[in-house]
């Protein structure tokens, strides 16, 4: 998902990335092989806290689980639609 070629200036967490349509197809296929339930089986708030994963608060906040599940499904939908339309993606972290 964070693949592609860097382009432009560093926007705070690195430059934007251009993901070509062929890679968008690959990402969509990979995401389609997973479910939100499978992702949540891997969720380990205590381990994330121990590894100091940003932004923190994972072991105490049940809302994180809902957010991650919802956002994973949105990401799947986004890449599925982009792949279906033969589109590339510009991604960046802000």
């Amino acid at each position: 998902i964070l693949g592609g070629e860097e382009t432009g200036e560093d926007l705070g967490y690195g430059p934007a990335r251009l993901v070509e349509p062929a890679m968008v197809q690959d990402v969509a296929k990979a995401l389609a092989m997973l479910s939100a339930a499978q992702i949540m089986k891997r969720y380990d708030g205590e381990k994330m806290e121990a590894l100091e994963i940003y932004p923190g608060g994972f072991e105490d906040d049940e809302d994180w689980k809902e957010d991650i599940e919802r956002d994973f499904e949105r990401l799947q939908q986004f890449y599925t639609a982009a792949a279906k339309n033969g589109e590339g993606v510009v991604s960046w972290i802000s």
Side-chain angles (χ1 to χ4, degrees):
I1 292 172
L2 295 177
E5 289 189 41
E6 293 183 354
T7 184
E9 297 179 34
D10 186 328
L11 302 173
Y13 294 101
R17 304 185 74 84
L18 298 176
V19 183
E20 298 292 330
M23 186 178 282
V24 170
Q25 297 276 338
D26 292 343
V27 171
K29 287 177 188 174
L31 290 173
M33 294 176 16
L34 295 170
S35 69
Q38 289 172 306
I39 296 294
M40 294 318 298
K41 284 181 183 178
R42 299 175 185 180
Y43 185 94
D44 185 339
E46 289 181 20
K47 186 173 183 178
M48 292 164 71
E49 288 296 318
L51 293 171
E52 298 180 357
I53 304 294
Y54 178 84
F58 298 106
E59 63 186 359
D60 298 325
D61 190 350
E62 284 297 313
D63 290 339
W64 274 114
K65 290 181 180 180
E66 290 177 22
D67 292 347
I68 291 170
E69 196 168 359
R70 179 200 65 223
D71 292 344
F72 176 75
E73 290 170 351
R74 287 179 178 171
L75 188 66
Q76 277 182 314
Q77 293 167 2
F78 173 81
Y79 271 91
T80 297
K84 181 179 177 182
N85 294 323
E87 297 171 338
V89 169
V90 175
S91 66
W92 74 93
I93 299 173
S94 64

